[in-house]
Amino acid sequence: MIINSLRVNGFKNLKNIGVSFNDDINIICGKNAQGKTNLIEAIWLCSGLKSFRGTKDKDFICLDGDTSQIELEFTDSFRQQKINYNMSRSSKEKAVYLNGVKLEYPSKLFGNLDCVVFTPEDLELSKGSPDNRRRFIDLSISQIKRSYISVINQYDSIIFQRNRLLKNIAFGVSDKDELEVWDEQLAKLGSYISVLRYAYTSKLNLTAKRLYSEISSGKEELSVSLCSTVFDELYGREDYSGEMKNEYLAKLKANIDDDIKLGYTQVGVHRDELLTCINGLPSREYGSQGQNRSVALILKLSQAYILADERKDSPVILLDDVLSELDKNRQSFIFSKIKGMQVFVTCCEENQIKGSFKNRVYSINDGQIVKAPPDMIL
């Protein structure tokens, strides 16, 4: 998958940008707050996902403007395609088009342009909150199975309703029997999510184990596993609407009284943990900073590898200001493992990146491309 060209105007501080790109490495270089990450974010939005920076819709448009336009042309393994992503402050509307056809929502773009983004925050993936690792695995699965994201959203909605009901029961304004309808739905959805998470984690473990062995020169072994608060064993289990659902339901019922006291649901896939271990010890508790950064790097690379294998087409790699946080050995390892993929790298100084990329550097200043490789300005 290759992004051929990008036109952006009015998206945050980006003004009248029109560039074409190299098929392999593209370096976006500039000082802080000049628009490097905004350019990466504009590309990411065209994948149909929400901002990886948590930007609210109202903040996408330049402060002194009323509209924002993004036009991106890309080629997948079948054909060339075009995405238009337009926003208006006055009408508070988004108009999104794929190959000239207007889509109902921006999320309908999802599954057309595949991207894997790696930010400095992702370096904390292996030692940060379990929520981050659950989001990582759910996004990874949804890139392969698009319907999965709606299942996660439905599950989250039911958990919210159940937790609110638990509080109402504790205050005496609702009856315990009302939980049954929510628990039935929760058990089926939760079992289905468990099956898909386990299947993906199994692939992740194999890929990550191999890559980590390379980055550690065979001195350390990484393992990745899914820890469930519901199921003791997930290997070989697929009957999410039968035996697994009943087991899930029994767990929920066994914890009802405690759930009411606490006001939230204690067991379920919303409490799953993606556990990474180095030589059998949890990296979150026992790993050094360097080891945890290597684990995070390997998880993101594995995500790209698995996605490429499943989709039979390489995703676009977005490395946003992350290489400056890594030593030269890890930088070299990244570049050696993403050969054959199109890569966008942001940095403050070109010399932060190992190697010579004179014909691949785009310099950005005050939201405008001020220097680009020959024949790359549109």
Side-chain angles (χ1 to χ4, degrees):
M1 193 164 290
I2 302 293
I3 295 175
N4 303 309
S5 64
L6 179 69
R7 296 178 186 271
V8 189
N9 189 36
F11 179 77
K12 295 191 172 182
N13 76 329
L14 301 181
K15 310 162 192 171
N16 299 313
I17 286 178
V19 288
S20 57
F21 295 112
N22 296 287
D23 290 354
D24 47 12
I25 304 294
N26 297 275
I27 310 296
I28 315 298
C29 189
K31 300 296 184 183
N32 290 331
Q34 298 306 303
K36 305 186 303 294
T37 298
N38 293 343
L39 196 68
I40 295 296
E41 190 175 15
I43 293 173
W44 178 256
L45 286 180
C46 290
S47 73
L49 291 162
K50 294 181 179 179
S51 166
F52 59 82
R53 306 164 82 184
T55 305
K56 295 181 180 178
D57 290 355
K58 64 182 180 64
D59 296 323
F60 284 143
I61 302 173
C62 181
L63 289 174
D64 58 358
D66 183 64
T67 61
S68 167
Q69 297 92 32
I70 303 171
E71 181 184 291
L72 183 149
E73 293 188 5
F74 71 101
T75 303
D76 59 22
S77 56
F78 299 103
R79 57 175 175 161
Q80 183 168 313
Q81 302 197 65
K82 184 166 75 171
I83 293 169
N84 294 91
Y85 197 121
N86 304 322
M87 290 165 276
S88 170
R89 190 189 306 279
S90 57
S91 65
K92 298 181 180 179
E93 288 185 354
K94 295 179 186 176
V96 181
Y97 299 82
L98 177 63
N99 302 322
V101 178
K102 188 173 183 179
L103 305 181
E104 188 177 4
Y105 306 109
S107 59
K108 295 293 184 179
L109 288 171
F110 189 57
N112 290 284
L113 175 65
D114 291 326
C115 298
V116 172
V117 66
F118 193 12
T119 70
E121 290 73 24
D122 289 321
L123 289 170
E124 299 296 315
L125 183 59
S126 70
K127 61 182 294 187
S129 166
D131 289 343
N132 295 334
R133 288 183 288 281
R134 283 193 293 272
R135 282 193 292 269
F136 163 73
I137 192 171
D138 287 338
L139 171 59
S140 300
I141 296 170
S142 62
Q143 286 181 311
I144 297 168
K145 190 177 182 65
R146 280 186 281 179
S147 61
Y148 178 77
I149 200 165
S150 65
V151 174
I152 289 294
N153 291 337
Q154 190 178 354
Y155 181 91
D156 289 342
S157 176
I158 293 172
I159 275 290
F160 176 81
Q161 297 290 345
R162 188 181 195 270
N163 288 345
R164 188 169 64 175
L165 180 56
L166 289 169
K167 293 180 176 68
N168 288 339
I169 294 170
F171 285 117
V173 296
S174 296
D175 191 84
K176 189 188 294 188
D177 291 341
E178 295 177 46
L179 286 169
E180 186 174 346
V181 64
W182 298 113
D183 287 0
E184 188 73 23
Q185 297 176 67
L186 210 59
K188 186 172 182 178
L189 286 173
S191 298
Y192 179 67
I193 292 168
S194 295
V195 169
L196 293 188
R197 280 183 178 173
Y198 178 79
Y200 185 84
T201 303
S202 298
K203 295 177 183 177
L204 184 64
N205 178 54
L206 292 174
T207 306
K209 188 188 295 288
R210 173 175 56 82
L211 290 173
Y212 194 88
S213 178
E214 292 183 42
I215 202 172
S216 68
S217 301
K219 296 175 182 177
E220 297 173 346
E221 182 178 32
L222 174 69
S223 63
V224 185
S225 58
L226 181 68
C227 297
S228 171
T229 57
V230 177
F231 303 106
D232 295 328
E233 179 59 67
L234 282 165
Y235 176 76
R237 305 194 68 178
E238 296 183 348
D239 186 16
Y240 60 86
S241 60
E243 183 181 339
M244 289 182 69
K245 186 194 78 170
N246 293 334
E247 187 176 335
Y248 202 115
L249 200 55
K251 258 304 177 44
L252 288 172
K253 289 181 177 179
N255 284 276
I256 283 180
D257 290 337
D258 286 340
D259 286 354
I260 292 170
K261 290 176 185 177
L262 294 169
Y264 63 86
T265 307
Q266 298 175 83
V267 298
V269 294
H270 60 288
R271 309 276 289 190
D272 280 357
E273 169 65 297
L274 188 68
L275 181 64
T276 57
C277 292
I278 299 174
N279 294 337
L281 296 175
S283 60
R284 184 182 180 189
E285 288 82 12
Y286 298 99
S288 67
Q289 182 182 27
Q291 286 175 319
N292 275 297
R293 288 193 164 196
S294 291
V295 170
L297 171 61
I298 294 305
L299 289 177
K300 296 299 289 189
L301 282 174
S302 298
Q303 177 191 10
Y305 273 43
I306 294 170
L307 181 57
D309 182 62
E310 293 285 340
R311 302 276 286 174
K312 308 305 178 188
D313 197 2
S314 296
V316 174
I317 308 297
L318 308 175
L319 302 176
D320 182 36
D321 202 27
V322 73
L323 293 185
S324 61
E325 302 289 331
L326 299 173
D327 59 34
K328 295 299 183 183
N329 288 334
R330 289 186 177 89
Q331 283 191 26
S332 297
F333 183 80
I334 287 181
F335 283 117
S336 71
K337 294 304 171 187
I338 54 180
K339 286 181 179 178
M341 299 183 186
Q342 189 183 39
V343 185
F344 291 82
V345 183
T346 67
C347 63
C348 292
E349 302 288 345
E350 186 181 343
N351 60 14
Q352 288 180 321
I353 299 174
K354 183 180 176 63
S356 175
F357 302 103
K358 291 182 180 179
N359 294 324
R360 297 174 175 82
V361 177
Y362 302 76
S363 296
I364 191 166
N365 183 62
D366 193 25
Q368 295 181 299
I369 298 291
V370 296
K371 187 182 76 172
D375 304 322
M376 291 298 188
I377 296 292
L378 298 175

